[in-house]
Amino acid sequence: AAPRPAHGCGSGALLGRFGVLLQALLALCAFSTLMLKRFKEPKAERRPWRIWFYDTSKQAIGALFIHFANVFLSDLTEEDPCSLYLINFILDATLGMLLIWLGVKVVSWIVQHKKYTYLVFGEYGDPPQAAAWIGQCILYLLIMVFEKTVISLVLLIPGWTKLQQILLGYIPNPQLELVLVMFVVPFIVNAIMFWVVDSLIMRKYKQKDTLDINGSTETPRARRTEESQVLLSPDMDFDQSESDQDISGPRGTSQKMKQPSYQVVI
């Protein structure tokens, strides 16, 4: 077994049996937030399961890449890998989140400028095409590679070693440190990140605010209000005998006009 430092978890602890168990539990709990987000969407805009899988699987691939990259980078040193993993994770959740947002915006602008319809995040065609999903996964993975490269360069700046020594040095139990680093903190931060990024890369539904009715512009809310007033008005007389009126036409002939009948459509 690798020697264990006085404080912190030992080398290889992240890939040990207990560490792998924590990572599997983290993945299950973190991605459950994406399922919760789907059920919180309005019913009219709720994504089908296939579209939801296409959207969330991109995040799954990107998150797995970032996670294993952090584990690999943390085990390169003989120092406490838990604190180094935590530093990587905090940078991914702060500076990395900004880089992901910037990357998605830049890629989306390029794709729309080049009119590559199937590479627009969240657009898969009708019916949904697996080729569009694969192309978007590749683009999102390239964004994650860019983000991790920048974070790795930031870690080369001197001064991180002192922060690493004091970050979790007050925790004497290595397993407790592993739980905090591999489950508690990542679960809270990942849940927020998954929710935000999913809103960023999912298809944007734009509700039409106005309806063109006989050349006039009317909002749906105003239309519903007007219909309710017509249907619920106490002065309405639905007597067939009084609904017909005799009016005099241009040629003096008597014409009969019927008042419009209203029908409640459910």
Side-chain angles (χ1 to χ4, degrees):
R4 179 176 296 174
H7 294 283
C9 57
S11 178
L14 300 180
L15 294 177
R17 182 178 301 178
F18 186 62
V20 172
L21 177 62
L22 288 177
Q23 295 173 50
L25 185 61
L26 170 65
L28 179 63
C29 293
F31 282 102
S32 65
T33 60
L34 293 175
M35 187 174 296
L36 174 63
K37 182 178 182 297
R38 179 187 179 273
F39 287 110
K40 295 292 289 183
E41 295 172 357
K43 290 185 178 181
E45 301 177 3
R46 185 172 297 169
R47 292 167 288 178
W49 282 110
R50 186 176 181 180
I51 302 298
W52 176 85
F53 170 77
Y54 281 171
D55 287 341
T56 56
S57 58
K58 293 196 288 287
Q59 283 206 74
I61 295 173
L64 288 175
F65 169 77
I66 293 296
H67 172 74
F68 286 113
N70 289 340
V71 171
F72 174 75
L73 293 174
S74 300
D75 277 337
L76 289 180
T77 177
E78 296 180 357
E79 300 176 358
D80 181 9
C82 288
S83 59
L84 186 56
Y85 179 90
L86 185 59
I87 292 176
N88 275 277
F89 185 81
I90 292 175
L91 287 175
D92 288 328
T94 52
L95 177 60
M97 189 66 190
L98 178 62
L99 294 173
I100 292 173
W101 175 84
L102 181 63
V104 170
K105 291 297 183 180
V106 172
V107 169
S108 299
W109 181 84
I110 295 175
V111 166
Q112 292 178 0
H113 182 70
K114 296 294 184 179
K115 297 182 179 180
Y116 298 145
T117 307
Y118 285 157
L119 292 181
V120 176
F121 287 122
E123 298 288 346
Y124 307 102
D126 189 16
Q129 302 293 325
W133 167 70
I134 294 174
Q136 294 177 32
C137 285
I138 295 174
L139 286 180
Y140 187 74
L141 186 58
L142 290 175
I143 294 174
M144 303 306 290
V145 171
F146 163 75
E147 181 268 342
K148 196 66 233 176
T149 302
V150 175
I151 295 300
S152 300
L153 293 176
V154 171
L155 284 174
L156 295 178
I157 301 175
W160 293 107
T161 304
K162 295 182 180 180
L163 177 61
Q164 182 180 348
Q165 292 175 354
I166 64 175
L167 193 60
L168 296 172
Y170 59 90
I171 301 178
N173 190 336
Q175 288 191 341
L176 177 59
E177 181 178 340
L178 195 61
V179 171
L180 290 175
V181 170
M182 299 297 294
F183 181 75
V184 177
V185 176
F187 169 70
I188 297 174
V189 178
N190 274 331
I192 299 174
M193 288 183 61
F194 287 163
W195 198 291
V196 173
V197 175
D198 185 61
S199 301
L200 186 63
I201 64 176
M202 68 180 289
R203 179 182 179 183
K204 302 299 185 296
Y205 291 89
K206 297 181 179 180
Q207 185 175 4
K208 192 173 183 181
D209 293 333
T210 59
L211 299 174
D212 189 8
I213 304 175
N214 295 330
S216 63
T217 302
E218 184 174 285
T219 62
R221 179 176 296 179
R223 185 186 179 190
R224 289 195 300 267
T225 304
E226 182 181 352
E227 290 177 351
S228 301
Q229 291 175 353
V230 170
L231 294 176
L232 301 178
S233 176
D235 298 332
M236 289 298 297
D237 188 359
F238 294 97
D239 190 357
Q240 184 66 27
S241 61
E242 296 181 4
S243 65
D244 297 335
Q245 296 178 352
D246 290 337
I247 62 174
S248 200
R251 298 180 180 177
T253 59
S254 177
Q255 296 179 352
K256 184 171 286 187
M257 177 179 291
K258 231 181 224 189
Q259 289 186 352
S261 61
Y262 297 91
Q263 180 179 4
V264 180
V265 179
I266 300 178

